[in-house]
Amino acid sequence: MKICIIGTGYVGLVAGTCFAESGNDVICVDVDEAKIEGLKQGVIPIYEPGLKELVVRNFGEGRLSFTTDLAAAVKASLINFIAVGTPPGEDGSADLQYVLDVARVIGRNMESFKIVVDKSTVPVGTADKVRGVVKEELEKRGRDIEFDVVSNPEFMKEGAAIDDFMKPDRVVIGTDNVRTAEIMKELYSPFMRKTNRLIIMDIRSAEMTKYAANAMLATKISFMNQIANLCDRMGADVSAVREGIGSDSRIGYDFLFPGVGYGGSCFPKDVKALVKTAEENDYDFMLLKAVEAVNERQKLVLTDKITGCLGDCSTQSLKGKTIAIWGLSFKPRTDDMREAPSVVIIHRLLELGAKVAAHDPEAINEARKIFGERIIYSNNQYEILKGADALAIVTEWNEYRTPDFDRIKTLLNRPLIFDGRNLYEPSRIKEAGFEYLPIGRNGKHFSTAS
C-alpha cells in the first residue's frame, strides 16, 4: 500500500519503518529539514533498539523515503497517518494545533479518496474535528472528494517499540466505515499472522481506549508507590507485597514495581489530558487527580531520603556533598527524558546545594540540554563515583543490576546507596558493607553499624 506518515517523532518513525518492513511503500514527512536530511543519511534522532538497522535497510531498498513535501506525499498516498505531537497545554489539555494543521494540508491537496488516520494520542472527539477541517478545505476548493477518518492509537513501549509494533498485543481501529475497516485490516494483516489481535470499534471508543489504558497503568504505578511508602513506615517489605498481590490473576505483576514515579511522553501527558477532558464534560475525575499528585510527590521520595541521611540537621542543606546518579532517562532502553523523575531529583539536589555527577548509557546528550554544565557527566558508570558521598540509582538499566560492589565501595567516600528502583536484595548489600536505603523494603536503614 501507499502510505504517508506525517511526523517523524517516536511514533511516526517507528510506525513508518515497520510498515515499510512489511512491504509497503512509505513516505515519512517532517517540517524539520535537518532531521529529514539526517534520516536519509541513516542518522536516527531517537534511541530505540533495532530501529536504525530497519531504517537503513528499508531506505536502501526503496520502500522507505523521507521528505519535507507534505503536499506531494499526500497526493501519492492512500493512507495518511497523522503522527505529530500533541503537547499538553497550560491547563493540561492536549494541544491539537499540529494535528489540525496537518488535516488542513491534506484537505488542500488531496485529489482522490484518502484515509486519514489519527495515530497521535488525541482526546475523544478529535476525529470529528479532523473530518471537519478536511471537509472545510475541500469546500473552499469547490471539490467533493470522498475521504474517511480513522482512530488508530499506538500502544508501543519505548525500548521495545519494534517488537510491540511487529507483534502487537492488540491493534485498535476506530471507524464506522466497512470498506475502510477492511483496508485497515489488510494493512495490519502481516502483524496478525499468529493471532488476530485486531479490534474494530467506533471512533470515539478507540480514542478513549488509549487514554484509558495509560491511565490504568499510571494508576497501578502510583498505587504501588504509595504501598511502598507505607511499607517504609510500617516495617514491611514491598517486594514481598508485590509477590503476594501480583499472583492474583486479576491484578498481575506488571506495573507493580515501586520506585520514583512514572515519566516519559505518554503517561504524564495522557493523565493530564483525561482529567481535562473529564472537566470539560462536567465530571471530577478525582482518582486520576490523586494518581497525578502521588506521582509528583513520589519523585521527591529519594531526595527526602538523601537529605534525611546526609543533610544538615537544621537546614537540610547538602552543601559540600556530591551525589552520584545512575540513570537519567525515564526508563531503560531509551534516551527519552520527558517528565523523567531524574530531572526533578537533580533539580532538587542542586537547590539543596549538592554537586551532582551523572551517568546514563544513552541519555547524556538529552541531559545536557536540560542541565547544561551544572552537573558532571561521564560515559563510565564508575568514574562518577570517585569522591562522591553517595550513589543514587534512578533508572533501572541492566548495567546497574550486577555492578562491582567492591569497586563501588573503594570509590565512594562512604559506602552509601539510595536505590530508587529497588534493584538489590537488602541483605546482600548489607553483607557487602553498604548502607542501603531502597524504597519500601522493610522500612529499615541497612547499615554496617546496625
Side-chain angles (χ1 to χ4, degrees):
M1 290 191 186
K2 304 292 185 181
I3 299 171
C4 171
I5 305 284
I6 303 136
T8 59
Y10 201 94
V11 172
L13 186 57
V14 171
T17 302
C18 290
F19 280 135
E21 179 72 6
S22 64
N24 298 287
D25 292 326
V26 180
I27 305 171
C28 287
V29 185
D30 204 289
V31 295
D32 188 333
E33 294 184 7
K35 182 189 285 190
I36 290 298
E37 289 305 311
L39 285 165
K40 291 178 180 178
Q41 302 300 319
V43 178
I44 310 303
I46 58 175
Y47 174 73
E48 176 62 36
L51 181 59
K52 181 172 182 175
E53 293 80 1
L54 290 182
V55 169
V56 170
R57 180 169 71 246
N58 283 281
F59 179 77
E61 294 176 359
R63 290 185 299 272
L64 182 64
S65 61
F66 302 100
T67 183
T68 58
D69 190 345
L70 176 54
V74 167
K75 292 175 182 177
S77 305
L78 167 64
I79 307 176
N80 296 266
F81 283 86
I82 301 178
V84 295
T86 53
E90 292 184 3
D91 61 357
S93 61
D95 186 346
L96 297 177
Q97 63 171 314
Y98 304 113
V99 171
L100 298 181
D101 284 348
V102 169
R104 289 188 183 92
V105 176
I106 292 173
R108 290 169 189 163
N109 292 279
M110 59 186 289
E111 297 291 347
S112 58
F113 173 70
K114 303 293 179 185
I115 297 175
V116 181
V117 183
D118 287 336
K119 194 69 174 172
S120 303
T121 300
V122 293
V124 176
T126 298
D128 294 335
K129 294 179 180 179
V130 168
R131 182 178 286 106
V133 166
V134 174
K135 187 176 181 180
E136 179 184 334
E137 293 299 326
L138 287 172
E139 289 173 351
K140 288 179 181 177
R141 296 168 56 198
R143 302 294 300 276
D144 183 16
I145 303 173
E146 186 183 358
F147 70 96
D148 197 14
V149 179
V150 172
S151 175
N152 175 214
E154 57 83 18
F155 298 100
M156 296 180 291
K157 300 185 296 292
E158 293 188 32
I162 302 296
D163 279 348
D164 285 345
F165 198 97
M166 302 292 278
K167 295 177 273 188
D169 290 331
R170 77 288 202 197
V171 172
V172 172
I173 304 295
T175 180
D176 301 316
N177 186 301
V178 175
R179 180 180 64 166
T180 296
E182 289 303 315
I183 293 172
M184 296 301 292
K185 283 181 182 180
E186 181 182 349
L187 175 64
Y188 276 103
S189 61
F191 313 115
M192 303 286 136
R193 300 181 74 177
K194 290 186 177 180
T195 306
N196 186 2
R197 312 174 191 88
L198 194 143
I199 304 169
I200 305 292
M201 60 180 71
D202 65 276
I203 295 175
R204 288 190 167 228
S205 295
E207 291 171 330
M208 179 60 82
T209 296
K210 170 64 175 181
Y211 281 104
N214 280 354
M216 173 58 78
L217 298 176
T219 299
K220 290 182 72 173
I221 293 170
S222 285
F223 171 80
M224 204 61 189
N225 281 334
Q226 291 224 291
I227 292 294
N229 295 340
L230 190 57
C231 285
D232 263 343
R233 291 171 178 262
M234 301 190 68
D237 188 331
V238 74
S239 293
V241 174
R242 177 180 178 271
E243 184 175 3
I245 67 173
S247 57
D248 187 327
S249 60
R250 299 166 300 174
I251 298 173
Y253 292 103
D254 291 345
F255 290 85
L256 291 183
F257 290 100
V260 288
Y262 59 76
S265 62
C266 293
F267 288 2
K269 174 175 69 68
D270 292 352
V271 169
K272 285 182 173 65
L274 192 50
V275 168
K276 182 62 179 177
T277 296
E279 290 176 352
E280 291 171 348
N281 287 274
D282 197 27
Y283 181 73
D284 185 2
F285 209 144
M286 294 182 288
L287 177 61
L288 273 193
K289 288 180 179 178
V291 166
E292 188 176 23
V294 167
N295 191 60
E296 291 307 305
R297 181 65 190 85
Q298 194 68 21
K299 293 177 182 180
L300 294 174
V301 166
L302 200 65
T303 58
D304 288 347
K305 289 180 178 287
I306 293 170
T307 55
C309 187
L310 295 176
D312 180 272
C313 293
S314 59
T315 66
Q316 299 294 298
S317 171
L318 292 172
K319 188 174 182 180
K321 303 295 183 182
T322 299
I323 309 299
I325 300 286
W326 277 2
L328 295 166
S329 56
F330 85 93
K331 71 173 189 175
R333 293 173 62 83
T334 180
D335 61 351
D336 195 341
M337 288 187 64
R338 286 174 288 184
E339 301 285 344
S342 65
V343 176
V344 175
I345 290 168
I346 291 173
H347 275 309
R348 181 59 176 157
L349 292 173
L350 294 175
E351 287 173 2
L352 293 170
K355 292 183 179 179
V356 175
H359 171 269
D360 188 282
E362 295 294 339
I364 286 179
N365 288 337
E366 293 301 311
R368 288 186 187 276
K369 298 175 185 177
I370 299 169
F371 298 109
E373 300 306 316
R374 288 182 292 162
I375 68 175
I376 300 166
Y377 308 92
S378 177
N379 291 316
N380 185 305
Q381 69 188 76
Y382 294 102
E383 185 177 86
I384 63 168
L385 303 180
K386 188 174 182 180
D389 295 286
L391 166 63
I393 301 171
V394 179
T395 311
E396 64 275 29
W397 284 91
N398 283 338
E399 289 89 330
Y400 306 149
R401 292 184 180 277
T402 55
D404 186 337
F405 288 109
D406 290 336
R407 186 177 179 186
I408 293 173
K409 192 159 58 173
T410 63
L411 292 170
L412 291 173
N413 288 339
R414 175 177 171 180
L416 176 58
I417 298 177
F418 298 93
D419 189 352
R421 295 298 181 182
N422 291 359
L423 295 188
Y424 313 127
E425 179 58 41
S427 59
R428 164 73 177 88
I429 303 302
K430 183 178 180 180
E431 289 172 3
F434 284 88
E435 299 172 79
Y436 183 56
L437 281 82
I439 293 177
R441 304 294 301 275
N442 294 328
K444 298 177 183 177
H445 178 176
F446 290 89
S447 170
T448 54
S450 61

